Structures are given as C-alpha cells and as structure tokens.
C-alpha cells in the first residue's frame, strides 16, 4: 500500500505541476491534486497501521523423521 501511495503522489505532482497540456473538459491540475491527496492519505494510513513497508520471511523446517513440517513466518522490522 505504501509504494502505491508514493506512486500516486508522484504522478499527481507531475500532472499538477509539470504537464502543460490543455485537454477539453478535463482539468489536469485538479486531477493531479486529487491524486496527491489520495496518495498522501494512503501513505499516512500505511504509516499509522504499520503495513505496506514491512516484509515477511518464511522458513520451512522438516523433522529428521520426515513426518512433520513446521512453517515459521516472521515479520521483518522496518
């Protein structure tokens, strides 16, 4: 979620500040600002909930007799 939010902010900033194309009935600056606001809210949500920037590591261990498989998933720190 965090990477998508950063992408929305970046594309929104490009539309709002760098594109000088006139399109009939479409205001690119407004669309860019909306994308930046939505991306900022998504980024804020990802930071508050702690999701979107953490990675998971999964390990699988088999017992010596081959009968039991233990799968361990750990969340990596930021």
């Amino acid at each position: 979620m965090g990477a998508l939010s950063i992408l929305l902010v970046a594309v929104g900033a490009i539309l709002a500040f760098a594109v000088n194309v006139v399109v009939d009935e479409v205001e690119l600056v407004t669309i860019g600002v909306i994308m930046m606001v939505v991306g900022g809210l998504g980024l804020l949500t990802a930071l508050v909930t702690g999701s979107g920037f953490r990675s998971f590591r999964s390990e699988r261990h088999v017992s010596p007799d081959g009968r039991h498989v233990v799968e361990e998933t750990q969340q990596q720190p930021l």
Side-chain angles (χ1 to χ4, degrees), residues 19-35:
V19 176
N20 292 326
V21 177
V22 177
V23 180
D24 293 336
E25 300 180 12
V26 176
E27 188 66 40
L28 292 179
V29 174
T30 304
I31 292 173
V33 170
I34 290 170
M35 289 177 72

Side-chain angles (χ1 to χ4, degrees), residues 32-76:
V33 170
I34 290 170
M35 289 177 72
M36 287 190 297
V37 169
V38 170
L41 290 174
L43 186 61
L44 183 65
T45 302
L47 290 174
V48 167
T49 61
S51 65
F53 292 104
R54 294 186 180 175
S55 62
F56 292 90
R57 182 181 65 171
S58 182
E59 294 181 4
R60 201 176 240 193
H61 303 282
V62 180
S63 65
D65 63 358
R67 293 182 182 205
H68 297 88
V69 176
V70 177
E71 190 166 337
E72 183 179 315
T73 302
Q74 294 178 346
Q75 192 173 25
Q76 298 295 318

Side-chain angles (χ1 to χ4, degrees), residues 8-19:
L8 279 173
V9 171
V11 172
I14 290 169
L15 285 176
F17 304 118
V19 176

